[in-house]
Amino acid sequence: MAILETRHIIKQYAQHRALDDVSLSVPTGQIFGLLGPNGAGKTSLIRIINQITGPDSGEVLFDGKPLGPEHIRHIGYLPEERGLYKKMKVGEQLLYLAQLKGLNERQAMDKLKIWFEKFDIKTWWSKNVEDLSKGMQQKIQFVATVLHQPALLILDEPFSGFDPINANLIRDEILELRQQGTTIIFSTHRMETVEELCDHIALIHQSHKVLDGSKRAIKEQFKTHTYRVEYQGNMGELPAAFATTAVGVTDDGFDRMDINIPPDAAVNDLIRLLLDRVSIRSFGENIPSMNDIFIKAVGKAND
Amino acid sequence: MSIILTIIKREYLVRVRKKSFVVMTLLGPLLMTAFYGLIGWAAIGSISQKNVAVIDQNGQFTGKFKPDEETKYTYLTTAPTQAKTHFVEDGYDALVVIPKAVIEQPKTVQIYAEKSVGGSLKNNIERAVSKQIEVIKLSRSGITQQIIEDAKVNVDAETISLSDQGEKKTSTVMTSIIGGLCAFLIYISVLLYGTQVMRGVLEEKTSRIIEVIISSVKPFQLMMGKIVGVGLVGLTQFMLWIMLTTSLIWGGSAIFGAKMARDAATARMSTTMSAEKAKAIAKASEDPGMMTEFSAALKTLNLTLIITCFLFYFLGGYLLYSSLYGAIGAAVDSETDTQQFMLPVTLPIIACATLAQFIIRDPDGPLAFWMSMIPFTSPIIMMVRIPFGVPAWEIALSMALLVLGFIGTTWLAARIYRVGILMYGKKPTYRELSKWIFYKA
């Protein structure tokens, strides 16, 4: 089941096509990583999902129905460029933003109390936003984004501006929200967080979708059938089918080698071959990191 | 709808709670009252009478100058050379010497004063002398004083405006003042609150909260909420100003009135003060003068019409301009960049303010007519004209055009606004702005 679906979205600005035939399907209850280099078209897509702008052609479906004003209250959006009214009190501001999302004042108040206790920020209620530190403001903005309990949460670089402790706090909240069934679209450049959090990934590059699928499937797709072995002894010549790279010595004095096997070959054959020749210290498959995949996919698209 | 109300509420409360709002609300009436007080003080001060000594060598002028509130005359028989050295010590402000041959050579009259003589005193004396010469010459040719008196008919034209309810006397001065005041209030409010809308939009843009907000509400809702919210702030401030000013002026008038009455009383009792001066002060304090004339003028004017029109043109003018100011705020990134776009928007308002004085002189001329039809100038210019009486069809047409005008500017502004609020970086050119208008949503 997909909570959100975009079909053949095209968005054209005066000289520049920001999105070209982008179709995506965001599975319900997952963390969906929306990746791409700067200027790829992520923000344009996010703005279309938030109904800030509309596509020139194509359609967006929310829960299977065409996206409309009634869906605004089911979406929470944390833009990359954060901002709050500087001269407004924290409590009033959060109440206001919640009311814009369709909550009435009492509902908003009840929900705010829970969050203020959870983040232990009750003393901030009547402070002006400009009197808070940047990290504090980020926390307030996060609360403003999730307060109305949206079914779909769109977070654009949610960890920027947080120190490691608060970044962890926010990460735990994101995971808890997923636990409760919230779908999260997660736009970021930080591949280690993608690695850690995302279930599903789409990569947009130069207005086109170049990669889309579950994290596991994508890693499968990008793996090179390369295995790293660390050993002692004399390896000798390997059969021609096995290409060796990155031959060298580890920090603690073992020999090291990356061995690429043909896609149809069995790993066990390689292991048998090695057992006969050297004493193995470790053996494992080189799984591509998200960083490698990102660079590879973008590089390939550039060619 | 409830979302727009939420926005209006925020925009209103945030501004009304500001310290600057409270300060301006309190300071405005104080300044106005101080201004009024200054005028009152000046009015009392100007009552002081000039004491003029006259040496009549001709003999036909003694007792002929009529004393009034400004000047009184004392006739001396001393020689001019002697009087010249003494008249200041004797308490005279000026000395007039009328030579024997004045009838034949009127230019030989001399006025002496310690300081240079004020224009009005010189005029008064010259008029008095020439009038007397006229009388003398007429009677020489056989026309008696009686005939002259009979021939004097005092014509004091009254301005009467014709309306359905019959003839009514109006005071041109008061009409001008009321028209000017209404126009001035609209002028101030459009500039003051229009730029507040602009700053509000700019604030949302520079603080980057705009993206969060318009992911919840439509840009048009946000823009209208802000415009209405700030407009209500303006109305609140005006109401408070009017209430505070009226009460302060009432209080002030009571104090001034009491002071004038006291002056009159002491003047009556005092023996050193001349009878004329006492009379003049007593007259000033008893004379209903300005206040009566003002309230009389108010009674003759169609107040309901003026107030209704004032509210309509205030709202229309404010809506028209504030949407344009809002679009400017959306188009640029910082307050310094607004200047380029402010000028063409502010120009018609300033033109109205400068041309209003000509409109007052000729409230039914072609300039007045056309400026009260064009929506960019009609809110101010029509308010100048309305107290003088404007045909109903002209008011109706002007109002209809204003409504069309602000629907047009709001539409235009909304198109620029929705694109501009998400644009950062380079200051747009007029060409780019016009492109934004035609962007698809």
Side-chain angles (χ1 to χ4, degrees), chain A residues 11 14 43 47 50-54 56 69 72 77 79 81-88 92-93 96-97 99-102 105 141, chain B residues 3 6-7 9-11 14 17-18 203-204 206-209 211-219 222 226 422 424 435 439-441:
Chain A
K11 180 73 186 173
T43 305
R47 282 184 177 166
N50 276 303
Q51 302 179 58
I52 293 172
T53 52
D56 292 325
I72 282 174
Y77 174 37
E81 296 278 3
R82 308 294 149 75
L84 295 164
Y85 287 111
K86 290 197 169 52
K87 296 201 185 294
M88 212 174 162
E92 278 175 24
Q93 178 141 221
Y96 174 65
L97 293 173
Q99 285 177 60
L100 292 188
K101 280 289 185 188
E105 207 168 330
Q141 189 125 34
Chain B
I3 291 242
T6 311
I7 297 171
K9 195 174 134 202
R10 190 202 88 88
E11 299 292 339
V14 158
R17 281 197 216 135
K18 266 190 194 162
E203 184 206 346
E204 279 166 353
T206 49
S207 75
R208 304 269 179 170
I209 197 176
E211 199 157 345
V212 174
I213 306 254
I214 58 166
S215 70
S216 309
V217 306
K218 288 206 175 72
L222 181 61
K226 189 175 291 293
L422 291 172
Y424 291 94
K435 272 191 201 156
Y439 273 173
K440 261 204 312 183

Side-chain angles (χ1 to χ4, degrees), chain A residues 80 82 133-139 157-164 166-167 170 190:
Chain A
E80 184 178 2
R82 308 294 149 75
S133 75
K134 202 180 165 218
M136 290 161 144
Q137 293 184 23
Q138 299 272 47
K139 260 187 182 172
E157 293 291 358
F159 298 115
S160 71
F162 279 117
D163 59 58
N166 281 316
I170 296 297
R190 286 165 57 169

Side-chain angles (χ1 to χ4, degrees), chain B residues 198-267:
Chain B
M198 185 183 78
R199 287 213 188 89
V201 174
L202 210 51
E203 184 206 346
E204 279 166 353
K205 205 178 159 182
T206 49
S207 75
R208 304 269 179 170
I209 197 176
I210 190 76
E211 199 157 345
V212 174
I213 306 254
I214 58 166
S215 70
S216 309
V217 306
K218 288 206 175 72
F220 185 74
Q221 289 175 316
L222 181 61
M223 191 180 93
M224 279 326 280
K226 189 175 291 293
I227 287 174
V228 174
V230 175
L232 289 176
V233 173
L235 278 179
T236 311
Q237 192 155 51
F238 274 131
M239 293 299 174
L240 288 172
W241 273 350
I242 289 167
M243 273 159 54
L244 283 171
T245 312
T246 333
S247 50
L248 273 175
I249 284 180
W250 269 8
S253 301
I255 293 166
F256 267 117
K259 188 181 180 303
M260 280 169 116
R262 228 178 20 249
D263 280 359
T266 43

Side-chain angles (χ1 to χ4, degrees), chain B residues 287-344:
Chain B
D287 184 12
M290 221 170 98
M291 278 324 276
T292 348
E293 201 184 334
F294 186 70
S295 43
L298 278 184
K299 268 177 220 142
T300 61
L301 292 165
N302 189 344
L303 267 190
T304 341
L305 177 78
I306 292 179
I307 290 171
T308 318
C309 286
F310 175 75
L311 286 176
F312 183 89
Y313 282 106
F314 166 76
L315 284 177
Y318 167 76
L319 286 176
L320 183 115
Y321 277 105
S322 59
S323 56
L324 289 179
Y325 279 116
I328 296 176
V332 299
D333 283 0
S334 69
E335 188 128 10
T336 45
D337 286 345
T338 58
Q339 299 303 331
Q340 181 200 348
F341 299 112
M342 285 275 277
L343 185 67

Side-chain angles (χ1 to χ4, degrees), chain A residues 1-299:
Chain A
M1 242 295 273
I3 187 168
L4 187 89
E5 222 177 308
T6 72
R7 288 184 182 161
H8 310 292
I9 298 281
I10 292 178
K11 180 73 186 173
Q12 179 80 40
Y13 291 113
Q15 308 291 330
H16 163 70
R17 179 161 281 202
L19 293 168
D20 196 357
D21 196 27
V22 174
S23 298
L24 287 175
S25 179
V26 181
T28 308
Q30 294 202 352
I31 298 184
F32 185 98
L34 184 63
L35 315 180
N38 292 322
K42 286 174 296 176
T43 305
S44 293
L45 184 63
I46 288 174
R47 282 184 177 166
I48 287 171
I49 297 170
N50 276 303
Q51 302 179 58
I52 293 172
T53 52
D56 292 325
S57 75
E59 59 173 348
V60 184
L61 301 178
F62 190 95
D63 265 340
K65 294 179 204 76
L67 189 68
E70 69 274 18
H71 295 127
I72 282 174
R73 60 177 305 173
H74 301 300
I75 300 178
Y77 174 37
L78 181 72
E80 184 178 2
E81 296 278 3
R82 308 294 149 75
L84 295 164
Y85 287 111
K86 290 197 169 52
K87 296 201 185 294
M88 212 174 162
K89 304 237 184 311
V90 170
E92 278 175 24
Q93 178 141 221
L94 287 170
L95 279 178
Y96 174 65
L97 293 173
Q99 285 177 60
L100 292 188
K101 280 289 185 188
L103 260 56
N104 66 37
E105 207 168 330
R106 258 197 54 204
Q107 292 169 324
M109 200 67 172
D110 292 345
K111 293 199 163 89
L112 267 179
K113 275 186 191 146
I114 297 168
W115 279 101
F116 270 67
E117 268 171 37
K118 196 171 197 172
F119 280 179
D120 195 21
I121 52 175
K122 272 181 276 185
T123 51
W124 297 3
W125 183 272
S126 47
K127 276 189 182 167
N128 271 340
V129 168
E130 62 184 352
D131 298 332
L132 299 179
S133 75
K134 202 180 165 218
M136 290 161 144
Q137 293 184 23
Q138 299 272 47
K139 260 187 182 172
I140 300 296
Q141 189 125 34
F142 183 79
V143 172
T145 313
V146 299
L147 190 67
H148 59 289
Q149 293 178 312
L152 177 66
L153 200 54
I154 301 170
L155 306 175
D156 200 347
E157 293 291 358
F159 298 115
S160 71
F162 279 117
D163 59 58
I165 294 170
N166 281 316
N168 259 345
L169 186 78
I170 296 297
R171 193 202 57 199
D172 291 346
E173 288 306 327
I174 291 173
L175 290 173
E176 196 185 319
L177 285 166
R178 179 179 62 175
Q179 204 73 38
Q180 293 162 6
T182 310
T183 309
I184 296 155
I185 295 180
F186 194 32
S187 168
T188 184
H189 289 123
R190 286 165 57 169
M191 289 306 141
E192 68 274 16
T193 41
V194 176
E195 199 94 56
E196 183 188 355
L197 294 174
C198 292
D199 306 304
H200 199 106
I201 285 155
L203 178 65
I204 294 179
H205 180 48
Q206 291 177 346
S207 323
H208 293 269
K209 183 180 82 176
V210 293
L211 203 61
D212 184 11
S214 73
K215 188 167 72 181
R216 200 185 308 155
I218 285 177
K219 290 213 161 187
E220 194 68 28
Q221 187 190 330
F222 273 80
K223 74 179 183 185
T224 51
H225 308 279
T226 303
Y227 297 83
R228 167 159 295 192
V229 59
E230 288 174 19
Y231 61 94
Q232 272 180 327
N234 188 8
M235 182 70 85
E237 280 292 306
L238 287 175
F242 301 122
T244 59
T245 50
V247 180
V249 180
T250 64
D251 292 340
D252 42 359
F254 289 92
D255 289 315
R256 184 192 66 201
M257 185 181 276
D258 281 1
I259 303 165
N260 190 266
I261 65 170
D264 54 339
V267 184
N268 282 7
D269 293 341
L270 174 62
I271 294 173
R272 255 179 234 116
L273 195 73
L274 293 176
L275 282 173
D276 292 343
R277 299 179 178 213
V278 295
S279 77
I280 296 170
R281 187 215 186 196
S282 73
F283 182 86
E285 184 173 8
N286 279 354
I287 307 277
S289 67
M290 280 318 297
N291 208 34
D292 296 337
I293 294 173
F294 184 92
I295 290 166
K296 216 175 213 176
V298 168

